[in-house]
Amino acid sequence: MRAVLIRHYKSLHTWTGIVAGLGLFIAFYGGALTVFKEPLTRWASPPAAQQTEGLQTLFDLETAPALIRRTLEAHPEVGEDFVLHLAPGIHRPSPLAWKRHAGAADEHDDLTPKHYFALPAADGYVEAKEGTVSKVGEFIDVLHRVVGLPFDNNLNRIPMGIIAMLYALALLSGLVIVLPSLARDFLALRLGKNLKRMWMDVHNVVGVASLPFHLLIAVTALGFAFHDGVYFLQERLIHGGEMRAAFAPRLPAADASTDLAPLIPPAKLVAQAKALSPTFEPERLHFVRLGSPRAMVRIWGHDPTAHSPRAPGGFLALNPHTGDVLTADYVPGRQSRTMSLVASLFALHFGAFGGAPIKWIYLFLGFAGAWLVYSGNVLWVESRRRKSSRGTGVEGPAQRRDVRMLAALTVGVCLGCVCGVSFSLGLSKWIFGWVDDLLFWHQAGYYAVFFGAIAWAFGRGAARASIDLLWAAAVLTLSLPITSLLGRAFPTTGFWGHASTVGVDVAAIMLAACFAWMAVATRRRALTGPKDSVWSLAPQVLLECPPDAAFEPAGASAEVSS
Amino acid sequence: MTRSTSSEFRSDWVSKTLAGVVLGFTLALALSGLYALAASGVHLSERSQLAMWATFPSWMVALAGGYACRSGARAWLLLGALNLAAWGLFFLLRLP
């Protein structure tokens, strides 16, 4: 009975993995990079430093009230929703920024709205300047959130939720498979002649070692996909219709008195947050519904001594006219036990705790997750391998059609995603100033490379394409630091390379070196490894062929890519 | 459940999957209601978030566990019975 059950769960593991694996690869690769979304965005954004002199005074909190007042005089609609950044950034010409949605806004869509900055004009007015802050970091994040689809909206979160369910099933069934032999096999790495055994051992050790991370990611991904529906049902079945009211108890009614006190200066708002939590480091003030009784400012920031409740940090919400605290539930390190527990789910998904070391660990865990699903597909392919049989004299029998297909699809999707992301990042510097709609080109560039790579993999076969595409990934990734270097050496190229984002360039060099090494290793394996494999470049012969056909010249009867 | 050696283990992928997705979800909702009752001292704005997140681990465990049933029909029966018990307990505890 036990053996039957384990075989049953093995099938479950295999097929959930195969169906969800390629989407998960994109989610992991994009998610790993999203940990560094902020530096990637800065890396990809042109310097906004035309007004470097005066930029410091512009970011001086003492001048903020005047900037806000003049902005609202010139553009009253901005009071509905704008941000005041406290620290200058190389990509920000002004501390005051807002965004405008073209159509109906989705709360999770930060990709399509246009961003504007308030620049002081000579005559005392404020000029709205469209921002050049790059969207490519956000685009990579969206790829990660909706497993490779271009926009994060309600519809696209359904496939994301289904993939997350398959992922959870793959994890739990994988656990059932390895549990009986865990003590014996966990650290048994049988490195050696039997390549499939070795891949299986490494797949198991990586899977078991990062299981807590994966369970956490799976549960939170399900929550991100389905929370609206679950809240809807729980409100009716469990909370008796009282939940919605419980969330906004301290906001006054919409028809409350509009006789408002003047806006409290940002410096005092920041001081109020610091008084509540001395270890909290405010970064920006997000004002909404200014000048109405329901006005609110969220003071966003990080606390190095605590975990962050959300990806961009935590916040204190105040009424900017009265200074009343609207909610302190999201101030990092000052949360109730329950809120701290809920916040830890977010922090553990985003790696939003523990500072830079945790971010690097999360990058590594994300890449490891991508490798885990990739190796799962490789194992599927290897388990269905047609062995050469000495008796017939056929050295490299042709592999099954579905096996060749899945091998090509795996190589195309995984390496297509890697190449596409690097290409899309590079575009931010290469075509800046030449095109109007940069976001469109980021997306078009990514998908062109992604689908091109898949087509290439099917056309050339998995073995050849994996070498080609690994080299392409190495070259495209290496082009990023080269572009930065060119920008620094020759500013006339129109490129740029910020000193503050050298870390991105260094990481890209290391990543490119990894891809190049993998290309070399893959080529060596294709040439000298076992010939009865989809990864071999040796000519393969259809087993169904009559025996004499097997002795025709190499490649005459069948190719890997046929 | 008694396990007689004569009855065969059936895969019943579709039936077990549907049972886990549908009844596993309603079971997880009932369990989240029981957590919410147990945490009734916590303010509703916080308790409701806890209950929302608590849904997913139980749903996935119920879904994955359903495949261990000997047939699809048994998965529906087992999860159905657990649903009745959990929802029954929830409404019973909420009565007063």
Side-chain angles (χ1 to χ4, degrees):
Chain A
M1 185 65 197
R2 207 173 97 164
V4 175
L5 259 185
I6 288 182
R7 205 159 50 239
H8 191 52
Y9 275 94
K10 224 171 213 162
S11 303
L12 184 63
H13 183 73
T14 303
W15 291 104
T16 49
I18 289 295
V19 173
L22 296 176
L24 285 173
F25 182 95
I26 300 172
F28 278 120
Y29 190 73
L33 297 179
T34 300
V35 174
F36 290 99
K37 179 159 117 179
E38 197 278 330
L40 279 175
T41 300
R42 243 179 319 126
W43 180 91
S45 304
Q50 296 95 311
Q51 349 30 28
T52 22
E53 72 283 359
L55 201 62
Q56 275 305 332
T57 52
L58 203 56
F59 276 91
D60 187 350
L61 265 186
E62 296 307 314
T63 64
L67 183 66
I68 295 175
R69 199 187 58 243
R70 284 162 57 187
T71 305
L72 296 184
E73 278 165 15
H75 307 279
E77 77 283 0
V78 170
E80 199 50 36
D81 193 327
F82 69 92
V83 172
L84 186 79
H85 293 277
L86 299 179
I90 189 130
H91 54 316
R92 268 186 225 118
S94 154
L96 202 159
W98 65 93
K99 53 187 176 188
R100 208 172 279 158
H101 289 271
D106 185 288
E107 59 171 323
H108 298 291
D109 176 20
D110 204 23
L111 203 54
T112 48
K114 286 187 186 294
H115 292 248
Y116 295 90
F117 286 96
L119 292 187
D123 52 2
Y125 281 97
V126 153
E127 183 195 345
K129 180 180 186 286
E130 198 179 330
T132 53
V133 177
S134 175
K135 297 273 180 67
V136 68
E138 183 67 23
F139 173 54
I140 294 171
D141 187 0
V142 167
L143 283 178
H144 142 72
R145 293 202 298 249
V146 289
V147 291
L149 298 166
F151 294 106
D152 184 356
N153 54 33
N154 285 330
L155 191 67
N156 287 353
R157 281 195 286 275
I158 295 172
M160 159 197 165
I162 293 172
I163 298 266
M165 283 173 71
L166 292 167
Y167 173 34
L169 271 183
L171 291 174
L172 292 174
S173 54
L175 189 63
V176 171
I177 303 168
V178 297
L179 263 183
S181 59
L182 188 62
R184 179 160 42 85
D185 279 350
F186 176 48
L187 285 175
L189 283 181
R190 279 151 287 194
L191 308 171
K193 268 234 146 47
N194 188 343
L195 275 178
K196 188 195 153 199
R197 184 74 246 174
M198 185 180 84
W199 275 72
M200 176 81 89
D201 285 345
V202 183
H203 181 84
N204 288 350
V205 78
V206 171
V208 171
S210 51
L211 187 69
F213 169 78
H214 284 291
L215 287 174
L216 189 282
I217 296 289
V219 164
T220 44
L222 280 164
F224 298 150
F226 295 134
H227 62 277
D228 282 339
V230 170
Y231 273 136
F232 177 88
L233 291 170
Q234 287 180 331
E235 169 77 319
R236 274 145 198 85
L237 294 168
I238 292 165
H239 304 311
E242 290 163 13
M243 182 184 79
R244 204 139 289 280
F247 263 103
R250 280 160 258 170
L251 275 182
D255 56 352
S257 165
T258 49
D259 186 17
L260 297 172
L263 193 66
I264 296 173
K268 278 187 82 171
L269 295 171
V270 169
Q272 196 174 337
K274 291 292 283 184
L276 183 80
S277 171
T279 47
F280 183 59
E281 294 168 1
E283 286 154 16
R284 63 187 179 285
L285 276 52
H286 182 189
F287 292 90
V288 289
R289 300 184 292 269
L290 217 57
S292 89
R294 298 166 77 94
M296 174 163 74
V297 56
R298 289 194 198 94
I299 303 169
W300 282 93
H302 284 90
D303 186 332
T305 66
H307 63 277
S308 298
R310 291 294 182 271
F315 65 84
L316 170 68
L318 302 173
N319 181 321
H321 295 286
T322 62
D324 292 340
V325 173
L326 296 176
T327 177
D329 284 352
Y330 298 88
V331 181
R334 296 292 183 277
Q335 298 185 286
S336 69
R337 237 187 312 172
T338 313
M339 288 304 282
S340 186
L341 180 67
V342 171
S344 67
L345 289 174
F346 287 80
L348 284 165
H349 186 108
F350 304 128
F353 62 101
I358 293 293
K359 285 194 191 309
W360 285 102
I361 289 174
Y362 264 67
L363 183 80
F364 181 73
L365 282 169
F367 285 160
W371 181 84
L372 198 61
V373 289
Y374 175 79
S375 63
N377 279 25
V378 169
L379 284 166
W380 187 92
V381 164
E382 289 299 289
S383 312
R384 280 149 191 80
R385 177 160 163 182
R386 275 187 185 142
K387 300 256 165 55
S388 60
S389 50
R390 281 189 209 99
T392 60
V394 180
E395 259 217 279
Q399 299 297 325
R400 260 164 50 183
R401 189 179 155 79
D402 58 337
V403 171
R404 280 184 282 129
M405 290 292 171
L406 190 89
L409 191 67
T410 301
V411 165
V413 168
C414 296
L415 295 176
C417 169
V418 170
C419 291
V421 164
S422 291
F423 182 63
S424 192
L425 274 167
L427 279 178
S428 61
K429 293 187 184 186
W430 302 330
I431 62 171
F432 177 77
W434 296 89
V435 298
D436 284 331
D437 192 352
L438 265 171
L439 173 64
F440 168 78
W441 288 100
H442 281 310
Q443 293 176 320
Y446 170 81
Y447 285 111
V449 171
F450 178 69
F451 287 114
I454 296 173
W456 189 262
F458 276 101
R460 296 261 288 167
R464 276 195 186 78
S466 60
I467 303 167
D468 302 342
L469 293 173
L470 278 167
W471 279 120
V475 169
L476 285 169
T477 309
L478 192 64
S479 73
L480 306 179
I482 291 176
T483 308
S484 297
L485 204 64
L486 281 176
R488 284 174 79 94
F490 310 103
T492 48
T493 53
F495 304 155
W496 60 87
H498 306 309
S500 71
T501 55
V502 165
V504 173
D505 292 313
V506 172
I509 292 172
M510 297 196 300
L511 210 52
C514 283
F515 293 141
W517 170 73
M518 286 156 77
V520 169
T522 306
R523 182 163 183 278
R524 191 174 54 226
R525 191 222 181 286
L527 289 177
T528 62
K531 296 195 174 86
D532 50 349
S533 159
V534 292
W535 310 111
S536 174
L537 279 180
Q540 301 191 352
V541 184
L542 285 176
L543 268 187
E544 292 80 7
C545 288
D548 54 317
F551 298 101
E552 278 179 22
S557 46
E559 275 265 344
V560 195
S561 54
S562 63
Chain B
M1 279 204 291
T2 51
R3 278 184 181 144
S4 62
T5 43
S6 59
S7 68
E8 285 271 301
F9 182 87
R10 296 164 55 95
S11 294
D12 291 347
W13 291 111
V14 176
S15 171
K16 285 180 187 175
T17 304
L18 282 176
V21 170
V22 177
L23 291 186
F25 180 67
T26 52
L27 175 64
L29 276 182
L31 292 177
S32 79
L34 291 174
Y35 306 143
L37 285 178
S40 57
V42 178
H43 190 268
L44 183 55
S45 69
E46 304 187 352
R47 197 193 330 146
S48 56
Q49 297 187 48
L50 214 53
M52 186 276 283
W53 286 111
T55 315
F56 300 106
S58 6
W59 184 16
M60 288 304 111
V61 168
L63 173 58
Y67 294 101
C69 293
R70 218 173 321 144
S71 67
R74 276 194 180 252
W76 280 91
L77 265 176
L78 176 70
L79 286 171
L82 286 172
N83 261 284
L84 277 180
W87 280 112
L89 189 62
F90 173 74
F91 284 114
L92 201 70
L93 288 172
R94 226 179 48 163
L95 266 183

